């Protein structure tokens, strides 16, 4: 059974940094595209970043986080990271890790592309 567990969320002041981790168990991670999404109160869940399968190595970011956030993976540890710098109050949300095991269709920034989801971790940025 595949499971994703996020950690690293918390409360930080504007301009600060956090690093989120997503630990994967089961047959995923290195052979899967991995994504981060977030959902703010009262808003739809939105795409944040994606790292393609190890063999491809492509990175994708939402315009709102480009240049501030960095997605990476450590295949030996079966873990994906989201380094978040220059945080803003509008980055406040629950952040979710998701795995694309190639079993679903859709574009890389669509939730439907991802078939395994973590439980989420809260990030709160104070002004």
């Amino acid at each position: 059974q595949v499971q994703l567990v996020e950690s690293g969320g918390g409360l930080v002041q504007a301009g600060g940094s956090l690093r989120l981790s997503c630990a994967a168990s089961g047959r995923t991670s290195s052979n899967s595209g991995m994504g981060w999404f977030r959902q703010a109160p009262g808003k739809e869940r939105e795409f944040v970043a994606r790292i393609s399968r190890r063999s491809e190595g492509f990175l994708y970011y939402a315009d709102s986080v480009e240049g501030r956030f960095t997605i990476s993976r450590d295949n030996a540890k079966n873990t994906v990271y989201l380094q978040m710098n220059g945080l803003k109050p509008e980055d406040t949300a629950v952040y979710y890790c998701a795995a694309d095991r190639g079993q679903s269709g859709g574009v890389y920034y669509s939730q439907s592309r991802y078939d395994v989801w973590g439980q989420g971790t809260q990030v709160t940025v104070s002004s």
Side-chain angles (χ1 to χ4, degrees), residues 15-116:
S17 299
L18 283 174
R19 187 177 80 156
L20 305 183
S21 299
C22 172
S25 61
R27 299 187 64 180
T28 183
S29 190
S30 67
N31 210 29
S32 301
M34 299 296 293
W36 286 96
F37 287 76
R38 66 186 182 185
Q39 186 167 19
K43 294 189 176 181
E44 297 288 320
R45 189 175 299 187
E46 64 177 5
F47 170 79
V48 174
R50 171 186 170 95
I51 184 166
S52 295
R53 291 176 295 180
R54 179 175 55 183
S55 60
E56 299 171 351
F58 297 129
L59 306 179
Y60 304 90
Y61 296 96
D63 290 344
S64 58
V65 306
E66 179 86 51
R68 299 187 298 123
F69 291 11
T70 303
I71 188 170
S72 62
R73 69 195 305 162
D74 184 335
N75 291 316
K77 295 183 178 180
N78 238 14
T79 300
V80 176
Y81 303 98
L82 185 68
Q83 177 66 45
M84 306 185 295
N85 298 328
L87 283 162
K88 305 175 181 180
E90 51 264 44
D91 294 319
T92 295
V94 177
Y95 284 70
Y96 298 90
C97 173
D100 164 19
R101 297 182 294 172
Q103 299 179 5
S104 304
V107 295
Y108 69 86
Y109 50 82
S110 170
Q111 293 182 59
S112 63
R113 179 75 175 261
Y114 302 83
D115 59 319
V116 182

Side-chain angles (χ1 to χ4, degrees), residues 110-127:
S110 170
Q111 293 182 59
S112 63
R113 179 75 175 261
Y114 302 83
D115 59 319
V116 182
W117 291 81
Q119 83 290 348
T121 185
Q122 176 71 46
V123 171
T124 303
V125 184
S126 62
S127 57

